[in-house]
Amino acid sequence: MQNESCDIGLIGLAVMGQNLVLNMNDHGYKVAVFNRTVSKVDDFIKDEAKGTEVVGTHSIEELVAVLKKPRRIMMMVKAGDTVDKMIDSIAPLLDKGDILIDGGNSLSPIPIAALLPWSEGTTFHRHRRIRRRRRRAARSVDHAWRKSAAWPHVKEIFQAIAAKVSDGTPCCDWVGENAQVTM
């Protein structure tokens, strides 16, 4: 496996995670995937992602190692303790400027800054919401909370995979600090 060859990593291969990975791949992005149940990675690579550029990894360390810098990692895991445990396992592996996105439906009153004692400058995004669609043709990003420092590093990917209005404008754009985009 080639180090630092993937554009983004995604953790969590349930239906929504799989569809996001395939959508990113369809738009020319090389995606590395990981799932706590490692057999799901192997099954996904040999079935749904067969013939794609998707890279399966079997550990958090391996996932981080194959990502281009700044690393962009999106978590599509169950809200609550699972998110916190995943952050705890990823945090020691990240560098200043890396981006960790919680793509689930976590609603935490804890300020983002309180979650980041381990790496000053790492950007953590909580509350990114993704429209749930099972049909591959309808996969899209339609709601997003963003921080300005990370937006330039994820903009191209998220706008590429977003639904588009009739003139081709993506339904995903920067509208201000902590602003939500809904289409």
Side-chain angles (χ1 to χ4, degrees), residues 13 33 37-47 56-58:
L13 289 173
V33 297
T37 306
V38 178
S39 62
K40 285 190 106 174
V41 173
D42 297 332
D43 291 344
F44 177 65
I45 295 298
K46 77 172 185 176
D47 294 328
T57 65
H58 294 114

Side-chain angles (χ1 to χ4, degrees), residues 16 18 21 25 38 42 55 57 86 100-101 114 116-117 120-121 129 133-134 139 143 158 163 172-174 182:
M16 196 160 49
Q18 289 183 18
V21 169
N25 178 82
V38 178
D42 297 332
V55 175
T57 65
M86 194 58 64
L100 181 57
I101 304 160
L116 299 175
E120 184 178 327
R129 294 196 172 122
R133 301 245 180 160
R134 290 183 183 259
R139 294 185 303 258
H143 303 294
F158 288 146
C172 179
D173 203 357
W174 173 259
T182 304

Side-chain angles (χ1 to χ4, degrees), residues 4-5 13 31 34 46 53 57 80 102 107 150 169 181-182:
E4 299 184 8
S5 65
L13 289 173
V31 185
F34 172 74
K46 77 172 185 176
E53 295 293 317
T57 65
D102 175 7
L107 295 174
T169 303
V181 174
T182 304

